[in-house]
Amino acid sequence: FFFFFLLLLPLSSPFPQCTDLRAPATLTGDLSFCSSYARGGTSCCDASQDLRLRRHFDAMNVSHPLCASSLKSLLCARCDPFSAELFGVSESQIPILCNSSSSTAADFCSSLWDSCQDALILDSPFAASLRQGGDLRPLRNSTAYSKLTDLWQSKSDFCDAFGGGGGGSRNSSLCFDGRPVSFENGAGSTSTTAGLCLEKLGNGSYINLVPHPDGSNRAFFSNLAGKVFLATVPDQDSGGVLGLDESNPFVDLTDQVYLYTTFGMTGLAFHPDFVSNGRFFAAFNCDRNKSPDCRGTCACNSDVGCDPSQLASPAGGEPCRYHTVIAEYSANGTAASTPSTAKKASPEEVRRIFTMGLPFTADHGGQILFGPADGYLYFMMGDGGEKGDPYNFAQNKKSLLGKIMRLDVNNIPSAEQIASLGLWGNYSTPEDNPHREDKEMQPEIWAYGFRNPWRCSFDSERPSYFLCADIGQ
């Protein structure tokens, strides 16, 4: 399966979410029955749900005005933008009621009991089975018309079952006090972050997902073997599935990629100007015993105080038999085609951006992405995988293992300059890389001290924030 990964607020901070685990929807009109439960033009109910709640309320036929008012607010609580918290995302028809054990809200549970205990209610929501400790059962037999006292022996029993906000059997960070959720008293969170959802679109073993740079509803997916697919993403909540044809890849690089448990195609990135220049990049591993183009300097060398002959031979052969590679490709086709409309790309490599031999066979990262603000290529590299990093590669300023590198792929030096600068391929190093003033530090290095920075991302709204997942040794 592939999923869209989402960042949620801490569990201690409620966020807007409905009982179906979706974000509150933007209203196209007004709610007539539960109008006070729409906030900022959003609600967990639409007009049809609002009408069903009105009909439910009318059908209960409650003659006691105070009880009727409480029951109306209780039914409308399902429309509250924070209803997932109020109902505890459970099967109960009743939200978690504030009771005397709550120090931040009125004792709504007691007031509801007092106003409704002797009121006849048709098909009372309180008569439904309740989830208590995993056991589903009503406390007493229910009838079509019922009073709270027909179902519950006392107020304390009632509030033990439905109460929350610090006590009872249904504890929650929020409880319902008869009104829309408000944080004016400092409870909860004032964040307006929308609820976040996952929607399954299809199946497949894809290791990279990159939105099409033209902003359309298309995205590129790649698998570990080295195939890249161009897919159409269906509209949200449309019920559609991903339009991806695995028999028709956008480009097939499997002849160049060495595939094994910890090896394969690890990264995919499209140039910020892809729609005009057609440039895209792939990061993968190769085997020099099988591919004549798989060659480069070993990461274990005299510059970093490492002797390849002293390394224990990894499974599958000698040290630096396997390399990590970044290669450039093009989606420029015939004169009648543009990169934005291209459905195929050539597997012929335009140029080799980076090649480095791997001393060990694990923890070699491999993600690549372009910075949204600077347009440079960021390359994530692990420390090689040997337990405890015994050669101290991640902290060694001359080693590129255990680092995140920042490369300029728009200004390609000449072959003579590449050799004289000791570069690992066809790129230049940005003048504002943060360690350029440190003469002991390789100029490519943007950050160092990593074990295996596997997947990283720039914050879309704060591009100076860079989030990275590492195993943490």
Side-chain angles (χ1 to χ4, degrees):
F1 295 90
F2 59 85
F3 299 92
F4 297 105
F5 290 88
L6 300 159
L7 203 60
L8 301 181
L9 294 174
L11 293 178
S12 60
S13 301
F15 58 92
Q17 190 178 42
C18 305
T19 54
D20 61 0
L21 301 183
R22 294 186 179 277
T26 301
L27 292 170
T28 56
D30 295 327
L31 302 181
S32 60
F33 183 62
C34 299
S35 56
S36 61
Y37 289 82
R39 178 177 306 157
T42 65
S43 175
C44 286
C45 294
D46 56 21
S48 62
Q49 292 166 315
D50 182 69
L51 179 60
R52 285 197 296 271
L53 291 172
R54 174 187 286 277
R55 289 172 176 171
H56 186 184
F57 173 76
D58 292 341
M60 287 193 293
N61 194 25
V62 181
S63 58
H64 193 292
L66 288 178
C67 181
S69 177
S70 295
L71 288 177
K72 175 185 175 180
S73 64
L74 184 145
L75 291 177
C76 287
R78 196 165 289 275
C79 300
D80 195 290
F82 291 85
S83 58
E85 289 277 349
L86 291 174
F87 285 81
V89 198
S90 71
E91 297 176 3
S92 175
Q93 297 183 44
I94 309 301
I96 299 167
L97 306 179
C98 296
N99 61 16
S100 58
S101 61
S102 172
S103 60
T104 59
D107 189 353
F108 180 72
C109 188
S110 292
S111 64
L112 188 145
W113 172 273
D114 292 341
S115 63
C116 292
Q117 61 178 318
D118 293 320
L120 285 171
I121 305 172
L122 179 64
D123 292 329
S124 170
F126 298 103
S129 295
L130 300 174
R131 185 177 298 276
Q132 293 190 357
D135 185 20
L136 289 171
R137 62 168 183 260
L139 292 188
R140 293 186 181 180
N141 293 330
S142 62
T143 58
Y145 271 101
S146 61
K147 303 175 184 179
L148 295 187
T149 52
D150 293 333
L151 303 170
W152 306 92
Q153 296 176 0
S154 67
K155 180 193 297 186
S156 61
D157 287 343
F158 175 77
C159 288
D160 279 345
F162 293 106
S169 60
R170 302 167 71 210
N171 292 320
S172 172
S173 57
L174 287 183
C175 61
F176 183 63
D177 65 358
R179 299 169 297 177
V181 170
S182 172
F183 299 123
E184 293 177 358
N185 296 326
S189 167
T190 56
S191 171
T192 56
T193 301
L196 299 170
C197 308
L198 293 176
E199 184 176 358
K200 180 182 175 182
L201 302 180
N203 301 325
S205 298
Y206 310 114
I207 201 166
N208 291 291
L209 183 162
V210 183
H212 199 295
D214 68 0
S216 65
N217 65 331
R218 296 179 296 165
F220 294 93
F221 296 81
S222 66
N223 60 23
L224 198 61
K227 290 184 178 181
V228 180
F229 306 94
L230 177 58
T232 301
V233 180
D235 292 336
Q236 181 179 330
D237 297 328
S238 67
V241 297
L242 193 71
L244 189 153
D245 181 4
E246 289 197 340
S247 67
N248 187 29
F250 176 75
V251 66
D252 185 348
L253 305 178
T254 53
D255 288 344
Q256 304 168 46
V257 175
Y258 174 67
L259 177 64
Y260 196 59
T261 53
T262 60
F263 292 113
M265 181 172 163
T266 54
L268 180 67
F270 289 78
H271 193 278
D273 297 324
F274 172 80
V275 293
S276 59
N277 63 29
R279 300 175 71 191
F280 68 98
F281 303 79
F284 56 87
N285 302 117
C286 63
D287 179 354
R288 74 179 185 189
N289 290 357
K290 297 181 178 180
S291 173
D293 294 327
C294 185
R295 58 184 183 271
T297 303
C298 182
C300 172
N301 56 63
S302 57
D303 290 340
V304 299
C306 181
D307 183 355
S309 66
Q310 300 302 311
L311 293 177
S313 295
E318 68 279 8
C320 291
R321 169 181 172 178
Y322 306 108
H323 287 60
T324 190
V325 170
I326 302 175
E328 179 180 341
Y329 301 88
S330 176
N332 286 318
T334 64
S337 175
T338 66
S340 185
T341 60
K343 296 182 179 179
K344 290 280 188 180
S346 171
E348 296 299 320
E349 187 176 313
V350 174
R351 65 174 59 88
R352 183 64 55 92
I353 298 297
F354 186 97
T355 308
M356 183 170 66
L358 301 170
F360 306 109
T361 59
D363 290 356
H364 42 77
Q367 184 194 10
I368 52 174
L369 55 83
F370 281 93
D374 56 29
Y376 292 129
L377 185 69
Y378 290 74
F379 176 33
M380 277 48 82
M381 173 59 67
D383 67 3
E386 191 72 355
K387 184 177 180 181
D389 190 15
Y391 294 91
N392 203 35
F393 289 136
Q395 294 294 333
N396 190 321
K397 295 181 178 183
K398 292 298 184 182
S399 173
L400 297 186
L401 293 171
K403 309 298 192 296
I404 295 176
M405 286 162 274
R406 182 173 181 249
L407 312 176
D408 183 350
V409 296
N410 293 321
N411 298 295
I412 307 298
S414 66
E416 292 77 14
Q417 290 174 312
I418 291 172
S420 65
L421 293 172
L423 301 180
W424 299 71
N426 292 287
Y427 61 88
S428 56
T429 55
E431 291 295 328
D432 60 348
N433 270 6
H435 303 290
R436 284 294 294 262
E437 299 303 317
D438 186 346
K439 301 305 180 183
E440 297 298 315
M441 184 78 74
Q442 286 292 99
E444 296 93 338
I445 296 172
W446 186 67
Y448 67 103
F450 295 93
R451 175 63 167 171
N452 189 31
W454 176 238
R455 283 296 178 263
C456 306
S457 179
F458 286 93
D459 189 302
S460 60
E461 294 188 0
R462 303 172 300 174
S464 63
Y465 282 68
F466 188 75
L467 311 177
C468 210
D470 195 354
I471 65 174
Q473 291 187 351

